[in-house]
Amino acid sequence: MSTTVSGKSGTWRNWAGNVTARPVREVAPASVEELSAAVRKAADDGLRVKAVGTGHSFTAAAATDGVLIRPQLLTGIRNIDREAGTVTVEAGTPLKRLNVALAREGLSLTNMGDIMEQTVSGATSTGTHGTGRDSASIAAQIKGLELVTADGSLLSCSEEENPDVFAAARVGIGALGIVTAITFSVEPIFLLTAREEPMAFDKVTADFDELFTENEHFEFYWFPHTGNCNTKRNNRSAGPEKPIGQIGGWIEDEFLSNGVFQVANLVGRAAPATIPTIAKISSRALSARTYTDIPYKVFTSPRRVRFVEMEYAVPREALVETLRELKTMVDRSSLRVSFPVEVRTAPADDIALSTASGRESAYIAVHMFRGTPYQAYFTAAERIFTAHEGRPHWGKVHTRDAEYFSKVYPRFGEFTALRDRLDPDRRFGNDYLRRVLGS
């Protein structure tokens, strides 16, 4: 039985608190049939419909003044096909529940992002990714998906079935329909050895091609106002398992990355002049460490300090130049940035609006502590990213529009033509989609 919450339920807010919406009503369907019925009823009432996951997007991608669909009852694994190496999972399943359930079955995704709070449909629809030389975003690991389209019907797609929809809907930003189930490619669980160590900015950038080539998963953080970085290399390992010790893990992950970091950011927000000093201390606080564990315990980490984020994908060969320009801009400005800049990579994929569509990509993510004015920093950073034909993450802060996207995505027209066919009345539209896809 679906639960319908009246419009009086008030305001929906995203995780970062920078987006709010007041839907007419909220619906939590308990089955695909109930979801189809909710879409048809919205059409009868002349209302738009949006599904919302955990609100981890910093954009208004899921905001609506119509019917808000909450997928928390559409969760769990539907089917595991060991022969095909796939798992089919309901759209509202949180990534952390999927990871734990797969591990129990001796299976794992090949690659994943560093946060696992999101629902599988929210994470894939916005193009969430980790870092990888050969393995790509979560959406690139999709083998099939089903979605409820604007007329309430259920459409299945894969490389064989409705391939044109499959090419677009894996990163659909909620524009083509409401995803109800996803089939992922999985593999037998494996071990990763992580090696984290501090490194100077000049050394990381000088050796970047080598670090990228030699490691299956390479990423690093640069601390603005310093010449310091923290690097992380994850590579497959024959074992044995050597997880982070409980006390050491607590000190590094909870205390330094969450607890002390929260306090440092609160101090920095109150007294911005202290930020460069705090940055120098923070960037030296993390020591080198090596550990071996199953994938989700290596790829992901808890994030309790709330922030606002902008992330752009630039061509991989443009990364070092782009990053040096960003550092020069921060060094010459009066900006005070307390959050490290995160750098990751992805191979090219074949999804129409994936940030890595058709090109090897590097990601540069800039963050600001929640409640700190971020516009000046993000505007200056965005100017640098767009000069390199950067593509912003669909779920993170940016100011780009359809005209810009039509230039940086060769397959943009293919996506909008499909949207015209599947949702001619813009039942799944909202202000954000009007801006990024056009009306």
Side-chain angles (χ1 to χ4, degrees), residues 75-78 80 82 87-89 93-109 116 186 189 294 296:
T75 62
I77 291 179
R78 267 193 205 177
I80 293 175
R82 289 179 187 276
V87 58
T88 301
V89 59
T93 310
L95 282 168
K96 58 181 169 193
R97 279 186 48 197
L98 173 63
N99 286 331
V100 170
L102 285 175
R104 260 203 314 268
E105 296 287 342
L107 299 168
S108 176
L109 292 169
M116 52 175 181
V186 289
I189 202 160
I294 60 174
Y296 83 84

Side-chain angles (χ1 to χ4, degrees), residues 122-411:
T124 53
S125 295
T126 53
T128 297
H129 60 90
T131 189
R133 180 189 60 201
D134 314 304
S135 56
S137 72
I138 308 179
Q141 297 169 68
I142 295 177
K143 286 287 174 219
L145 58 82
E146 62 174 43
L147 65 164
V148 169
T149 55
D151 60 3
S153 60
L154 191 65
L155 180 71
S156 296
C157 63
S158 64
E159 280 174 352
E160 291 77 40
E161 190 181 13
N162 298 307
D164 55 336
V165 180
F166 185 66
R170 284 172 286 169
V171 178
I173 341 170
L176 305 175
I178 295 177
V179 176
T180 52
I182 299 175
T183 299
F184 289 106
S185 175
V186 289
E187 59 175 303
I189 202 160
F190 52 94
L191 292 174
L192 284 171
T193 292
R195 181 174 153 202
E196 298 174 10
E197 64 173 335
M199 198 180 282
F201 179 90
D202 291 341
K203 180 160 178 57
V204 180
T205 48
D207 297 350
F208 175 73
D209 283 344
E210 202 176 311
L211 289 161
F212 164 81
T213 307
E214 286 175 2
N215 296 284
E216 288 172 72
H217 308 274
F218 177 68
E219 65 187 300
F220 66 95
Y221 294 86
W222 162 59
F223 293 80
H225 313 296
T226 78
N228 304 333
C229 293
N230 207 39
T231 62
K232 185 173 179 181
R233 314 161 210 216
N234 298 330
N235 290 289
R236 294 199 183 211
S237 162
E241 260 180 69
K242 272 203 297 230
I244 298 169
Q246 257 180 318
I247 292 171
W250 183 83
I251 289 173
E252 290 272 341
D253 295 324
E254 281 308 314
F255 186 62
L256 288 174
S257 301
N258 287 303
V260 170
F261 194 51
Q262 172 88 17
V263 174
N265 274 282
L266 289 166
V267 171
R269 187 167 74 187
T274 61
I275 287 175
T277 309
I278 292 171
K280 286 183 178 68
I281 297 165
S282 318
S283 66
R284 294 204 181 103
L286 298 169
S287 49
R289 61 178 182 173
T290 301
Y291 51 96
T292 302
D293 215 326
I294 60 174
Y296 83 84
K297 293 185 177 177
V298 173
F299 284 131
T300 68
S301 53
R303 292 285 179 88
R304 296 190 224 293
V305 182
R306 301 212 173 196
F307 52 84
V308 179
E309 179 179 0
M310 167 185 279
E311 181 186 68
Y312 266 76
V314 297
R316 189 172 65 76
E317 62 276 13
L319 168 74
V320 172
E321 187 188 340
T322 310
L323 202 56
R324 285 177 179 151
E325 287 170 18
L326 185 69
K327 185 175 188 297
T328 302
M329 180 276 289
V330 171
D331 289 347
R332 287 181 182 165
S333 73
S334 58
L335 294 168
R336 292 293 172 259
V337 182
S338 63
F339 247 87
V341 171
E342 184 180 21
V343 179
R344 295 175 289 173
T345 67
D349 64 41
D350 64 348
I351 307 168
L353 292 190
S354 161
T355 43
S357 182
R359 75 180 189 195
E360 274 202 49
S361 301
Y363 295 95
I364 305 176
V366 296
H367 311 70
M368 271 297 215
F369 184 46
R370 187 166 86 168
T372 310
Y374 61 83
Q375 285 80 357
Y377 176 37
F378 283 15
T379 300
E382 192 171 40
R383 203 173 289 137
I384 292 168
F385 299 151
T386 53
H388 292 280
E389 294 192 344
R391 298 168 177 170
H393 188 302
W394 296 108
K396 295 176 186 175
V397 177
H398 68 89
T399 65
R400 302 295 90 192
D401 60 14
E403 190 190 353
Y404 178 84
F405 291 124
S406 67
K407 296 188 182 92
V408 296
Y409 281 102
R411 297 171 67 180

Side-chain angles (χ1 to χ4, degrees), residues 109-128:
L109 292 169
T110 299
N111 198 353
M112 59 194 80
D114 54 6
I115 297 178
M116 52 175 181
E117 303 303 314
Q118 313 99 310
T119 60
V120 292
S121 55
T124 53
S125 295
T126 53
T128 297

